[in-house]
């Protein structure tokens, strides 16, 4: 499971493995990752994004939750970008924005040492940033690149303590990546494959999207207002938060699927995300593997922020 606390709008998290195993995603045109030195593809226009299909409306209800902060009416053509502390009715959930097509994404051949993981993740991050930055510009929300900290020994800072054998964490604009955990994680559900690393990076970046937009702080306030994150209402909000990050992770993978990297890397990323969720021995704070599978694939297929509005989804869709 992912254990975390929200303190003043800051998320601390970790991703854990659930024992269920999902079959690999098949499809024509799959290629095999063979450790080639780079991936490249013909650049696509950078001013457009591809929305796969309309967001469904059958699984949503009216937004619920405590009153949220509203922005004052604009007195000019466009005000300066500013975070908006809302959930279901957040402007990021407009129907006309998604992860934009990218100009190219050369990734190094993968090895699973700490240095190899860091090299791979740092090469992937600029591609992810390029896909998401126009979304923030279009919705007039503030943007800044995410930081990556690779944790190979115990680290203590304002976000708490990060152990090298624990799962990755996101906090206050930084992804704390723990290579020892992911290289040791084996088995058909979460196989050691480049796709696993790209998929988990995409999930963590989903929390960065929430943090920049103001959703993360709004969720923390809503949990506080409902008695804490570990109350039934707080856990429901937590699952919506995590499943939205999973859906954003699926959106992040969509531009990569246009030829940027081999198809099997995308397939492994989706399969890995589909096999994550709640730890059965702890609080149900991240959603079932079935819910994680549904949301990551929903984000990937639709590539629309409105499709990832978990805050207005029916309770059974975020179980």
């Amino acid at each position: 499971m992912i254990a975390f606390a929200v303190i003043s709008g800051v998320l601390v998290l970790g991703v854990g493995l659930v024992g269920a195993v999902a079959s690999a995603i098949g499809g024509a045109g799959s290629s095999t990752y063979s450790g080639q030195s780079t991936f490249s593809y013909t650049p696509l226009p950078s001013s457009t994004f591809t929305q796969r299909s309309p967001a469904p409306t059958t699984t949503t209800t009216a937004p619920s939750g405590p009153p949220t902060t509203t922005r004052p009416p604009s007195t000019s053509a466009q005000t300066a970008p500013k975070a908006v502390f809302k959930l279901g009715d957040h402007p990021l959930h407009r129907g006309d924005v998604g992860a934009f097509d990218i100009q190219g994404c050369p990734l190094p051949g993968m090895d699973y040492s700490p240095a190899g993981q860091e090299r791979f993740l740092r090469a992937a991050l600029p591609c992810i940033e390029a896909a998401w930055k126009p979304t923030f510009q279009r919705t007039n929300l503030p943007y800044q690149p995410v930081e990556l900290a690779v944790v190979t020994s115990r680290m203590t800072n304002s976000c708490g303590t990060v152990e090298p054998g624990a799962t990755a964490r996101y906090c206050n604009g930084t992804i704390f990546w723990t290579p020892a955990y992911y290289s040791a994680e084996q088995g058909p559900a979460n196989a050691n494959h480049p796709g696993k690393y790209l998929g988990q990076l995409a999930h963590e970046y989903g929390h960065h999207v929430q943090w920049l937009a103001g959703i993360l702080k709004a969720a923390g306030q809503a949990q506080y207002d409902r008695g804490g994150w570990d109350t039934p209402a707080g856990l429901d909000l937590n699952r919506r938060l995590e499943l939205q990050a999973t859906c954003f992770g699926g959106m992040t993978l969509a531009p990569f699927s246009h030829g940027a990297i081999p198809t099997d890397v995308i397939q492994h990323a989706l399969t890995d995300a589909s096999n994550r969720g709640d730890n059965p021995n702890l609080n149900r704070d991240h959603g079932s593997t079935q819910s994680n599978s549904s949301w990551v694939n929903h984000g990937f297929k639709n590539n629309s922020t409105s499709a990832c509005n978990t805050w207005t989804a029916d309770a059974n869709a975020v179980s």
Side-chain angles (χ1 to χ4, degrees):
M1 67 171 291
I2 303 176
F4 79 92
V6 177
I7 304 173
S8 300
V10 175
L11 178 74
V12 181
L13 63 95
V15 180
L17 173 65
V18 175
V21 178
S23 59
I25 299 173
S30 298
S31 58
T32 302
Y33 182 89
S34 58
Q36 59 265 49
S37 59
T38 61
F39 300 131
S40 62
Y41 80 116
T42 303
L44 294 169
S46 59
S47 59
T48 62
F49 75 95
T50 303
Q51 183 172 333
R52 304 293 183 85
S53 60
T57 59
T58 57
T59 61
T60 60
T61 59
S64 61
T68 52
T69 304
T70 58
R71 302 176 71 181
S74 175
T75 57
S76 61
Q78 184 172 0
T79 59
K82 187 176 181 181
V84 178
F85 305 119
K86 294 185 177 184
L87 295 175
D89 56 345
H90 197 284
L92 184 64
H93 299 139
R94 285 169 39 175
D96 61 343
V97 289
F100 282 64
D101 291 338
I102 54 178
Q103 291 290 335
C105 190
L107 296 176
M110 185 69 179
D111 76 70
Y112 302 105
S113 67
Q117 290 184 43
E118 180 174 6
R119 183 166 57 249
F120 183 86
L121 298 178
R122 290 197 184 280
L125 273 175
C127 306
I128 295 174
E129 303 276 2
W132 276 99
K133 186 176 181 180
T135 298
F136 283 84
Q137 294 171 334
R138 176 171 287 190
T139 53
N140 198 34
L141 293 167
Y143 178 80
Q144 70 182 53
V146 72
E147 299 292 332
L148 177 68
V150 176
V151 181
T152 57
S153 61
R154 189 177 191 185
M155 176 186 295
T156 301
N157 53 33
S158 60
C159 294
T161 298
V162 185
E163 298 288 352
T167 54
R169 296 186 177 192
Y170 176 86
C171 178
N172 202 25
T174 300
I175 295 170
F176 294 90
W177 186 265
T178 49
Y181 176 86
Y182 292 99
S183 61
E185 188 182 44
Q186 300 291 336
N190 304 97
N192 223 15
H193 185 280
K196 174 172 76 173
Y197 296 84
L198 181 62
Q200 286 304 291
L201 181 65
H203 172 89
E204 301 297 341
Y205 190 83
H207 287 303
H208 187 59
V209 172
Q210 293 171 322
W211 181 71
L212 289 172
I215 293 171
L216 193 55
K217 184 174 182 179
Q221 182 62 51
Q223 288 178 318
Y224 177 83
D225 292 343
R226 297 186 184 188
W229 78 271
D230 56 352
T231 63
L235 289 170
D236 174 80
L237 288 166
N238 212 76
R239 290 192 296 272
R240 293 175 189 274
L241 184 74
E242 289 297 333
L243 290 168
Q244 182 175 57
T246 294
C247 190
F248 285 162
M251 282 180 58
T252 298
L253 296 171
F256 287 86
S257 69
H258 301 161
I261 59 177
T263 305
D264 73 315
V265 177
I266 300 295
Q267 292 173 342
H268 275 82
L270 292 169
T271 298
D272 178 85
S274 295
N275 285 308
R276 295 184 183 270
D278 293 323
N279 184 322
N281 299 317
L282 298 173
N283 285 318
R284 294 204 58 247
D285 58 356
H286 282 71
S288 65
T289 53
Q290 292 86 351
S291 291
N292 276 272
S293 178
S294 294
W295 283 104
V296 72
N297 284 286
H298 189 56
F300 176 72
K301 292 174 181 177
N302 289 281
N303 190 18
S304 169
T305 50
S306 64
C308 291
N309 191 352
T310 56
W311 307 102
T312 60
D314 290 337
N316 61 4
V318 292
S319 62

